[in-house]
Amino acid sequence: MRGSEGLFMVNGPPSFTESAVFQRDSGRNCKAVAFSKDGSLFAWCNGEKVNIVNVTSAGLLRSFDLPKVVCLEFSPKNNILATWQAYSAAKDGTAGAPNLQLYDVKTGKCLKSFIQKKMQNWCPCWADDESICARNVNNEVHFFENNNFNTIANKLHLQKVNDFVLSPGAQPTKVAVYVPGSKGAPSFVRLYQYPNFGGPQSALANKSFFKADKVTMLWNKKATAVLVIASTDVDKTGASYYGEQTLHYIATNGESAIVQLPKNGPIYDVVWNPNSVEFCAVYGFMPAKATVFNLKCDPVFDFGTGPRNAAYYSPHGHILVLAGFGNLRGQMEVWDVKNYKLISKPVASDSTYFAWCPDGEHIVTATCAPRLRVSNGYKIWHYTGSVLHNYEVPSNEEMWQVSWQPFLDGVFPVKAVKYQAVPSELPSAEPKPAQAYRPPALRNKPVTSSKLHEDEPPQNMKPQSGSSEKPLSKTALKNQKKHEAKKAAKQEAKADCSQESTQSSASQNTPRSAVPVVTSGDPEIDKKIKNLKKKLKAIEQLKEQAAAGKQLEKNQLEKIQKESALLQELEDLELGL
C-alpha cells in the first residue's frame, strides 16, 4: 500500500496483519514502487533514495541516490532496475542530462543512460529470458542483446513506428509493430520474428486498416496471435463521445480478421484467456454486451447485456469477472469459465482498481486518490462473494496505490471452482438498494417498475425456444436464412394455388341465390384485375413483416413503393367495367 500514511506491506489471506518483512516507510513523499516479476525483490523511491529490498530475507540490497525518480521497473530475470525521472533541458537550450538509467541489481553499477523525453512507453522492453531488449527511438526500434547496451545489435526501421510490443514466453521472440497511416494511406500492424526484419516479405503477418488514431496490441500468452484495438478520437457519425473502436485479430501464421461484434458502440475492454485459445470482449452502448470468442473469431458464449465495462480472467483462466467500475456502480459477475455458470454477484461500489491475487482465489478492489479523494481504502474478496478483509484510510489521509506481490506461473496450483460462499467474519458488502425518487402524488400508490433498458440474459439463461444449439457460425446463419426464405416462398406459392382452387370450386358450387361474381365479360381485363389483387396482397404481407421488425430486401422495399400505382390501376380497370 502506498499513500499519504507512507508505504507498508500487509500479509495476504488469511492473516492480513502488517508484514514484519518490510519496515514501514512513513515518508509522505513515496512516488514509485515496483515488484520484480517473481515477487522476490521490491524497489521504491521515497523522495530521497531508490531502495531495493529482498522480500523473503528482508535485507536491503541496494540504495541509489536518485530523489527525483517517478518510475521504476525490474527486468524479467531481476538483473536490471530501470529508473526514469522527468526530462529537463539545460538553461542555455542545450540537451539536458540523460533521465533514463539502467542499473545492474547485483553490482549497483549504472550500465547505461538514455535521454527519454516522454513518460509514455518510457521503459525498455525485455524478452522473458532477457536475451533481447528493445527501445523505440525516433520512430525506429533499437534491439540490444544479452543486456549489452553499448552496441545496437539490430534495428527495425519502418516509415514511422509509433508503438511496438514484444511477445511473451520462450524464444524465438516476435515483435508486433504499429505504423499510423498518413496522406490517405492506411495504418498497419505487422508481426516479425526477431531478427528477420528485411523488407515486407519477411513479416509473419500484416493487417492494414483505416480509422485508427491509436492502437492497443495484446499478445496471447503462447505468442501465437495478437488482438489489435484500433480507435479514433472522434466518431464522425456522431454516435459516440468516445470515438470509434474496431477489433482486429492477427495470427503469426499469417491469418487475420476483423472481429464482428453483434452490438454497436464503444469497445470497453478486451482480454485474452491465459489458455491463449479464447478471448473476451466487453462492447456496445450501455447496457454493454460481453462475449467470448475463439481463435476463428466466432462467438463461443454470449453473457447478454448488463452494467459492465471491464473483464478480468483469473491467473489460471478458470474464472472470469465481468465488472462495471468508474462511472458504473461496481457490480461484478463472477463466472465459471468451463461450465459458463454464474458463481456470485458481489458489488464493490466506488472502486477505482481491481486485481486478481496470483493464487486465483482472492481479489482486491480499491478506491484510490486522485481518482476519488474520499472513502479511500481496499477490500480483499474471495471470488465466491465474501469480503475477507476491509481496510479504510482515516478521513484526512489518502491511498494512492495497492498491488499484490506477484508470483511466477505454476507456484499456485489450480483449485476446483467453489459455488458456496466462503465463511467470513465480516458482513457481506450488499449495499442497500437506492430507492427511486417518487413525486408526492405517487407515494401511496403501488410501484410500477419502469426500466430504461431491459437487460438481455446470458445465452444459457434465455427461455428455450425448442432448441438448445450452440451459437451458429456466420456461414451457418447465412444458409439458415436462405433455407427459411425458400421455405417461405414455397408456402406462399402453395397458399396462392390453394386459394385459386378454392375460388374456382366455390364459384362452381355457388347457389344461384348468392351474389354473382362481377366480371367485365372480357377475360383479359379479368385476368389483369386478378393479378393486381394478387400483387397488392403480397405487398400487404410484406408490410406486416416490416412492422414485425423483419429486415426487408431492396427489391421488396421497391415492391411496397409501387402500391399506390397498383391501386390506381386497379381502380381504373374496375371503373371501366
Side-chain angles (χ1 to χ4, degrees):
M1 261 69 61
R2 181 174 72 87
S4 59
E5 292 181 289
L7 178 70
F8 59 100
M9 290 189 189
V10 169
N11 292 314
S15 69
F16 305 112
T17 52
E18 187 163 334
S19 172
V21 169
F22 181 79
Q23 197 66 44
R24 181 190 275 253
D25 186 331
S26 299
R28 297 174 72 92
N29 209 8
C30 179
K31 290 195 179 76
V33 298
F35 271 109
S36 62
K37 194 180 173 185
D38 63 358
S40 64
L41 303 181
F42 179 73
W44 79 100
C45 176
N46 57 13
E48 294 166 17
K49 290 178 183 293
V50 170
N51 300 313
I52 305 175
V53 291
N54 186 320
V55 181
T56 43
S57 64
L60 182 70
L61 291 181
R62 290 268 161 265
S63 192
F64 304 102
D65 195 11
L66 295 162
K68 292 181 181 175
V69 163
V70 287
C71 296
L72 294 167
E73 195 81 52
F74 281 100
S75 64
K77 294 264 184 200
N78 307 352
N79 290 317
I80 289 173
L81 176 71
T83 69
W84 184 88
Q85 60 191 57
Y87 175 75
S88 55
K91 284 177 184 172
D92 56 2
T94 54
N99 59 325
L100 165 58
Q101 268 84 27
L102 302 178
Y103 290 94
D104 187 320
V105 173
K106 290 183 181 69
T107 64
K109 192 175 137 207
C110 180
L111 297 175
K112 188 72 178 170
S113 296
F114 297 104
I115 287 179
Q116 171 69 33
K117 292 183 182 177
K118 288 183 182 173
M119 189 177 180
Q120 189 186 354
N121 300 336
W122 70 271
C123 189
C125 296
W126 279 272
D128 283 357
D129 60 0
E130 289 191 24
S131 58
I132 62 171
C133 173
R135 276 188 79 225
N136 189 351
V137 183
N138 298 334
N139 300 320
E140 59 180 31
V141 186
H142 291 183
F143 292 88
F144 305 94
E145 291 185 352
N146 303 317
N147 289 333
N148 174 11
F149 296 99
N150 296 318
T151 52
I152 297 170
N154 244 307
K155 280 186 187 180
L156 172 54
H157 181 70
L158 291 166
Q159 53 264 48
K160 270 197 175 178
V161 176
N162 186 293
D163 198 6
F164 76 97
V165 186
L166 295 185
S167 66
Q171 292 288 355
T173 300
K174 302 174 190 82
V175 191
V177 186
Y178 163 60
V179 175
S182 59
K183 295 175 186 169
S187 309
F188 61 83
V189 169
R190 269 191 202 148
L191 308 187
Y192 291 96
Q193 185 166 305
Y194 183 83
N196 308 329
F197 302 138
Q201 299 305 316
S202 60
L204 299 173
N206 183 43
K207 179 94 174 90
S208 55
F209 37 82
F210 291 96
K211 291 190 181 175
D213 293 325
K214 57 178 184 285
V215 304
T216 307
M217 296 178 281
L218 306 165
W219 278 100
N220 64 1
K221 218 170 178 180
K222 290 182 181 165
T224 56
V226 177
L227 287 170
V228 179
I229 307 161
S231 52
T232 59
D233 296 330
V234 178
D235 184 353
K236 286 179 181 158
T237 62
S240 169
Y241 286 127
Y242 306 105
E244 219 178 329
Q245 291 90 15
T246 47
L247 181 59
H248 305 267
Y249 167 88
I250 313 169
T252 50
N253 62 6
E255 288 177 7
S256 66
I258 186 162
V259 183
Q260 298 292 343
L261 301 173
K263 188 174 184 181
N264 293 332
I267 298 171
Y268 304 102
D269 201 7
V270 178
V271 278
W272 278 104
N273 185 324
N275 69 13
S276 295
V277 296
E278 55 188 30
F279 57 93
C280 178
V282 183
Y283 58 93
F285 294 113
M286 284 294 161
K289 223 170 165 44
T291 310
V292 173
F293 296 89
N294 60 19
L295 295 182
K296 288 180 180 170
C297 301
D298 290 332
V300 175
F301 188 82
D302 180 8
F303 293 99
T305 60
R308 52 174 89 109
N309 54 17
Y312 307 91
Y313 275 103
S314 65
H316 305 102
H318 64 322
I319 295 166
L320 171 66
V321 175
L322 300 173
F325 296 134
N327 56 358
L328 296 174
R329 220 182 277 165
Q331 284 144 297
M332 298 188 280
E333 295 165 51
V334 184
W335 287 85
D336 173 355
V337 171
K338 193 178 174 189
N339 305 308
Y340 287 113
K341 203 170 162 190
L342 190 64
I343 300 169
S344 63
K345 286 186 84 171
V347 178
S349 44
D350 300 334
S351 297
T352 61
Y353 177 75
F354 174 104
W356 274 100
C357 176
D359 68 357
E361 294 249 319
H362 300 91
I363 288 163
V364 65
T365 60
T367 306
C368 298
R371 177 68 200 263
L372 284 172
R373 293 193 186 274
V374 291
S375 308
N376 284 187
Y378 69 87
K379 284 181 182 149
I380 308 283
W381 307 72
H382 190 271
Y383 66 79
T384 52
S386 313
V387 180
L388 304 179
H389 178 61
N390 184 10
Y391 174 78
E392 287 176 14
V393 172
S395 58
N396 57 334
E397 303 285 357
E398 288 180 354
M399 190 166 73
W400 305 324
Q401 190 181 354
V402 174
S403 73
W404 289 104
Q405 177 187 9
F407 282 88
L408 295 172
D409 294 342
V411 173
F412 294 97
V414 191
K415 292 183 181 173
V417 176
K418 297 174 187 167
Y419 289 89
Q420 190 66 40
V422 166
S424 166
E425 291 165 20
L426 297 178
S428 70
E430 281 297 313
K432 290 171 187 167
Q435 294 293 315
Y437 170 76
R438 304 192 73 211
L442 294 176
R443 280 179 194 166
N444 299 323
K445 294 183 180 176
V447 179
T448 53
S449 72
S450 57
K451 250 189 166 184
L452 209 57
H453 304 280
E454 273 308 319
D455 283 351
E456 184 188 313
Q459 71 179 46
N460 57 0
M461 293 183 194
K462 282 181 183 171
Q464 296 295 315
S465 55
S467 67
S468 56
E469 296 159 9
K470 281 187 174 180
L472 298 170
S473 67
K474 290 174 210 166
T475 44
L477 274 167
K478 222 175 190 178
N479 292 339
Q480 192 183 25
K481 278 180 186 169
K482 276 184 187 172
H483 187 67
E484 282 171 2
K486 273 184 186 173
K487 214 175 182 182
K490 269 186 188 173
Q491 281 175 344
E492 215 171 281
K494 262 187 193 172
D496 286 344
C497 290
S498 62
Q499 206 174 347
E500 280 175 32
S501 60
T502 50
Q503 275 178 359
S504 60
S505 63
S507 62
Q508 284 166 13
N509 304 336
T510 356
R512 286 178 187 175
S513 59
V515 178
V517 177
V518 180
T519 58
S520 63
D522 185 344
E524 278 302 310
I525 292 173
D526 285 349
K527 199 175 180 183
K528 272 186 187 175
I529 289 172
K530 189 179 167 190
N531 281 338
L532 285 170
K533 283 183 175 170
K534 194 174 168 183
K535 281 180 185 174
L536 287 164
K537 190 186 172 193
I539 287 170
E540 216 40 59
Q541 284 175 340
L542 287 174
K543 280 167 117 180
E544 281 171 21
Q545 287 174 2
K550 189 180 172 185
Q551 192 74 33
L552 297 183
E553 301 291 328
K554 193 181 173 184
N555 59 345
Q556 291 174 318
L557 291 166
E558 283 169 1
K559 267 186 193 175
I560 293 173
Q561 285 166 2
K562 289 176 186 170
E563 185 183 21
S564 55
L566 293 172
L567 281 165
Q568 189 61 48
E569 199 181 331
L570 181 66
E571 202 177 320
D572 292 348
L573 284 171
E574 285 178 335
L575 286 171
L577 294 181

